Amino acid sequence: MEIPLLEKEISGYIGRLLRENFGRGPGNVFCTFSRPFVTVYITNFLSPMEKSLIGNRQSVYVQKTRDLMMETLETEIRDFIETNTKEKVKEFYYDWNLDGKTGMFLLILETDPKFKDETFSNKDLVHKEIINVSIEAEKPPQMVSSRLLNDRTLVIIREGILVSIEKELIQIGFPETLKIAKRNLEKRLMDEHKANFEKLLSAQIIDRFVDWNFDQDKSYSLFILKP
């Protein structure tokens, strides 16, 4: 299947799946397929009940509810991607921007897992800026890599970022609480560094997402850009 058609098929499927399971579908779904990455950007996605909870400062319950729902939906999304790409999904990440009514799914295919680390303008300086964010949040990562999938989608990977107290929280059974806290902290710091990122990327950042694989001590950040 040609990539544009595949991206359209994935977008349509995700839209239907969310509508069936959340009672309301997203406004738009944008898929980008660039091996080994499949990214899905979701806009205008918030149910009336979720809106009410957020208005009453209960956004943490919305996050927890969506996390529970995603435990089921992840399997269905993986199966659809594998069937249509004929490739195995190695990793799955997601995040929500509740204030912006947006969300993202990021799937990593097993094909060429050590992707070619292509360069783009100011790439080293962008890495330095994300390292500064990491230092303020926890510690500098052991490794940073990135891929500009197109002029609107930047993926940044950090490895080796967990500190001892975070590892202990995961060990005693609080990974979900840690993830919610880290999401709030890191995205707030990304917003504080937003002007620096935009200057380096020569683009406006219209959205940002982050998720972790605690077992592998790895983090994926996704910037949605407006060139």
Side-chain angles (χ1 to χ4, degrees), residues 50-62:
E50 291 175 330
K51 184 177 180 180
S52 177
L53 286 169
I54 293 170
N56 290 306
R57 301 181 181 275
Q58 302 294 327
S59 61
V60 66
Y61 292 107
V62 178

Side-chain angles (χ1 to χ4, degrees), residues 125-224:
L125 293 176
V126 170
H127 287 188
K128 184 177 180 180
E129 198 66 34
I130 200 70
I131 289 170
N132 289 337
V133 170
S134 294
I135 290 172
E136 292 182 47
E138 54 264 314
K139 69 172 188 177
Q142 295 175 359
M143 183 179 297
V144 178
S145 54
S146 62
R147 169 78 75 84
L148 189 63
L149 305 187
N150 53 36
D151 61 359
R152 296 182 180 275
T153 313
L154 174 65
V155 176
I156 301 177
I157 305 101
R158 291 171 293 159
E159 300 179 51
I161 58 174
L162 292 174
V163 297
S164 296
I165 187 64
E166 293 173 329
K167 293 177 181 178
E168 192 64 26
L169 283 168
I170 295 165
Q171 184 66 30
I172 63 176
F174 293 97
E176 183 185 15
T177 301
L178 176 62
K179 183 171 288 191
I180 290 173
K182 285 175 68 66
R183 274 177 178 158
N184 293 340
L185 173 60
E186 288 208 358
K187 288 199 281 190
R188 185 166 65 248
L189 291 171
M190 287 178 184
D191 289 344
E192 292 176 4
H193 288 253
K194 181 179 178 181
N196 293 340
F197 280 118
E198 290 182 334
K199 183 177 180 180
L200 294 170
L201 293 166
S202 298
Q204 178 186 354
I205 297 174
I206 60 176
D207 226 332
R208 73 283 182 267
F209 303 96
V210 63
D211 197 7
W212 292 264
N213 183 325
F214 288 147
D215 291 337
Q216 297 183 21
D217 194 358
K218 183 191 299 184
S219 166
Y220 279 85
S221 300
L222 185 69
F223 285 177
I224 304 299

Side-chain angles (χ1 to χ4, degrees), residues 70-116:
M70 287 305 300
E71 289 180 8
T72 301
L73 299 188
E74 178 181 339
T75 300
E76 297 184 41
I77 295 170
R78 280 176 175 266
D79 289 346
F80 184 86
I81 298 297
E82 290 180 350
T83 298
N84 285 272
T85 64
K86 310 302 182 186
E87 298 180 40
K88 190 76 174 175
V89 173
K90 180 182 178 184
E91 301 172 60
F92 183 100
Y93 299 89
Y94 69 89
D95 187 22
W96 310 102
N97 175 356
L98 297 178
D99 291 334
K101 303 179 185 180
T102 56
M104 76 92 182
F105 301 150
L106 172 63
L107 298 97
I108 318 297
L109 304 178
E110 282 194 347
T111 300
D112 189 23
K114 295 187 180 299
F115 65 90
K116 183 180 179 182

